[in-house]
Amino acid sequence: MNTTGRTYSLIVSCSSFYGRHECLQFALFVGCYVLLDYGYFKIPVDQFVNVIYYHGVVAVCADLINWLAPLEHVLAKQNHLLSAKADLEIVRGCDGAGVLFLVMSAILVFPSGLKRKLLGLLLGIGLIYSLNLLRISALYFVIAYQPDWFQLIHTYVAPTLMVVLGCFYFACWAFGSTNQSHELA
């Protein structure tokens, strides 16, 4: 079993034993977040720019923008969304990873069954990924048409909205988990 598999097994095992010990639950949450973040920063920058960002974010956003506004003629180049009106660079930290790690950590340490956790992770990853694609696409339009607003929206509004929506998703998922466990009892 690889390190990631052992780490996940440890987190799942520990999360089933903590019961009502909130301090242990919090420590597991922080530990899980730190491990995910550590792994994230071990990925080489070239891998992000040329593979992950290009194929997973930039090309998808360029297609979305060109579908919504065909006259934009946005091109995807490495980690840049390029047009005659804007050059939006996607860098580490602008990929929604922080919010994704918060949601994943919360789900992993929450007392719930394995199937429920896997479903929560799958839906949560899809949600955060989709929201981030919409966020980046919206930022393209902001930088192209209202560049004075870019700093405010990029630094405060969009990240806060992502965190709030991630927390809302987790709360809905967790509420569903606790309802199911009470109904079975």
Side-chain angles (χ1 to χ4, degrees), residues 38-124:
Y38 176 77
Y40 171 76
F41 279 98
K42 284 299 198 182
I43 300 171
V45 173
D46 289 343
Q47 183 79 13
F48 267 113
V49 171
N50 297 320
V51 179
I52 297 169
Y53 287 159
Y54 177 76
H55 294 290
V57 179
V58 177
V60 178
C61 287
D63 289 344
L64 178 61
I65 293 166
N66 287 325
W67 179 71
L68 292 171
L71 297 178
E72 290 299 312
H73 302 290
V74 175
L75 300 173
K77 184 173 181 187
Q78 292 182 315
N79 61 327
H80 290 259
L81 286 170
L82 300 168
S83 76
K85 297 175 184 143
D87 177 0
L88 181 63
E89 180 182 17
I90 312 304
V91 297
R92 196 181 301 251
C94 293
D95 52 15
V99 175
L100 179 64
F101 297 161
L102 286 173
V103 170
M104 288 176 67
S105 298
I107 289 171
L108 287 171
V109 303
F110 191 81
S112 186
L114 182 61
K115 285 183 183 178
R116 180 100 178 129
K117 285 185 188 211
L118 290 175
L119 179 63
L121 287 170
L122 183 66
L123 294 174

Side-chain angles (χ1 to χ4, degrees), residues 124-139:
I125 290 167
L127 173 70
I128 300 302
Y129 177 70
S130 299
L131 288 172
N132 196 55
L133 293 176
L134 291 173
R135 178 187 72 86
I136 291 170
S137 297
L139 286 172

Side-chain angles (χ1 to χ4, degrees), residues 11-24:
I11 291 168
V12 170
S13 298
C14 290
S15 68
S16 63
F17 290 110
Y18 62 76
R20 298 199 182 271
H21 300 286
E22 289 83 12
C23 289
L24 181 55

